[in-house]
């Protein structure tokens, strides 16, 4: 019925709001019919791809999580979720328990990565976590049960750390004092970051997080690398952990090993591509 006919019969105009609503509902119904997939078309929609493992990056002593800043974007661009928690650097047992608690919050598979002292932490934190599929060591300690970072540093000559550390006491929560170790700023670049620009090394020296001597000297528990596949990146000119010690630990752990000649202890900063490549290789091999 036209608007004029409606007016002649009823003596009043059709409500415009109702006309508009009726037209909109009709249009929605027609659109739904047009776009609804048939059973045949729905059947060919591909299943959701399996999610990639989460990469958990654990920094070492005299550093913080920003030491992974060049590696993280490369992993994220490749589609990997990344978490880089703050390693407390207070004592090995407590630090490992903290990282273990982070692993407990991740429902899917994990590639666990540690640099330097972080290697000790991941070796202990991964125990009891079946979702950890691989361990990746970046110029890191890979202790056997009963070994400490200090033991492994002195196993081969070449470390400059013993003559580069300064100590400061700090109060313990339960009373008494602990002792923190720092790398002397004047010696930081030579001992820790020789292949970085002087300005970058100076910034790292100023912002370094100390490690307690208790953490560095605590013996490891039974390590996860004995039951998990491992990868290792050897820094060929490391003056913190001697490269010879790194090769020894990598071989003992039967790790898939890559070495970068001339790399300093912070190889993940000076060679982020190689670091990310090793991590993704571990992920691909265990996914």
């Amino acid at each position: 019925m036209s608007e004029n006919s409606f007016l002649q019969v009823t003596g009043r105009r059709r409500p415009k709001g109702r006309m508009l609503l009726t037209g909109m509902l009709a249009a929605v119904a027609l659109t739904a019919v047009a776009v609804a997939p048939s059973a045949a078309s729905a059947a060919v929609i591909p299943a959701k791809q399996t999610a990639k493992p989460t990469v958990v990056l654990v920094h070492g002593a005299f550093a913080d999580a920003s030491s992974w800043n060049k590696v993280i974007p490369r992993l994220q661009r490749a589609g990997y979720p990344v978490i880089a928690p703050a390693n407390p650097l207070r004592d090995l047992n407590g630090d490992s328990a903290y990282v273990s608690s982070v692993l407990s919050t991740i429902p899917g598979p994990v590639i666990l990565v540690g640099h330097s002292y972080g290697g000790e932490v991941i070796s202990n934190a991964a125990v009891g976590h079946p979702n950890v599929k691989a361990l990746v060591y970046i110029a890191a300690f890979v202790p056997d049960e009963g070994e400490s970072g200090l033991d492994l540093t002195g196993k081969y000559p070449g470390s400059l750390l013993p003559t580069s550390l300064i100590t400061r006491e700090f109060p313990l929560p339960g009373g008494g004092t602990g002792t923190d170790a720092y790398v002397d700023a004047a010696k930081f670049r030579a001992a820790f970051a020789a292949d970085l620009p002087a300005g970058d090394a100076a910034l790292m020296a100023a912002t370094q997080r100390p490690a307690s001597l208790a953490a560095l000297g605590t013996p490891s528990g039974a390590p996860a690398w004995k039951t998990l596949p491992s990868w290792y990146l050897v820094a060929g000119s490391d003056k913190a952990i001697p490269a010879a010690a790194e090769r020894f630990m990598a071989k003992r752990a039967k790790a898939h090993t890559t070495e970068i000649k001339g790399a300093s202890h912070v190889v993940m900063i000076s060679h982020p591509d190689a670091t990310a490549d090793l991590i993704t290789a571990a992920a691909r091999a265990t996914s």
Side-chain angles (χ1 to χ4, degrees):
M1 180 181 292
S2 69
E3 185 71 7
N4 288 336
S5 299
F6 184 87
L7 181 60
Q8 289 173 2
V9 173
T10 63
R12 56 190 176 87
R13 292 187 176 277
R14 189 189 301 271
K16 292 184 177 180
R18 185 176 298 170
M19 291 173 62
L20 179 60
L21 177 60
T22 301
M24 290 175 63
L25 291 174
V28 170
L30 289 171
T31 302
V33 171
V35 301
S38 66
S41 63
V44 299
I45 297 174
K48 184 178 179 181
Q49 293 184 345
T50 303
K52 290 186 176 182
T54 298
V55 178
V56 178
L57 303 166
V58 180
H59 67 82
F62 320 120
D64 59 25
S66 68
S67 57
W68 300 109
N69 280 0
K70 291 185 177 181
V71 175
I72 292 172
R74 288 163 168 80
L75 296 173
Q76 291 175 332
R77 285 195 296 269
Y80 291 94
V82 181
I83 300 174
N87 185 354
L89 305 180
R90 297 295 84 195
D91 70 86
L92 180 59
N93 295 331
D95 297 345
S96 301
Y98 176 76
V99 172
S100 176
S101 73
V102 174
L103 299 176
S104 295
T105 68
I106 302 172
V110 169
I111 305 300
L112 187 55
V113 185
H115 170 246
S116 191
Y117 166 73
E120 295 183 70
V121 174
I122 69 170
S123 295
N124 288 268
V127 174
H129 289 280
N131 61 325
V132 176
K133 302 303 180 184
L135 302 173
V136 183
Y137 295 93
I138 309 298
F141 290 118
V142 189
D144 202 346
E145 186 170 6
E147 291 179 335
S148 72
L150 293 179
D151 293 335
L152 291 165
T153 300
K155 189 174 183 68
Y156 292 88
S159 175
L160 297 180
L161 280 183
T163 58
S164 300
L165 296 181
I166 59 175
T167 58
R168 295 186 174 98
E169 291 189 346
F170 64 92
L172 294 171
T177 58
T179 303
D180 265 341
Y182 294 77
V183 180
D184 187 340
K187 301 177 180 179
F188 188 93
R189 190 183 184 205
F192 209 75
D195 58 350
L196 295 187
D200 292 352
L203 180 61
M204 290 179 64
T207 59
Q208 65 179 292
R209 286 186 56 208
S212 73
L213 289 181
L216 299 175
T218 302
S220 174
W225 56 261
K226 290 194 172 181
T227 58
L228 287 173
S230 300
W231 278 255
Y232 201 108
L233 183 58
V234 173
S237 293
D238 199 328
K239 299 301 181 185
I241 303 174
E246 294 178 8
R247 296 185 196 107
F248 161 76
M249 291 183 286
K251 182 177 180 180
R252 182 175 64 179
K254 298 180 174 60
H256 306 272
T257 303
T258 299
E259 179 165 344
I260 299 180
K261 303 295 183 183
S264 76
H265 189 56
V266 289
V267 61
M268 69 286 188
I269 299 176
S270 57
H271 297 275
D273 286 330
T275 303
D277 287 348
L278 190 68
I279 295 168
T280 56
R284 289 193 300 268
T286 56
S287 296

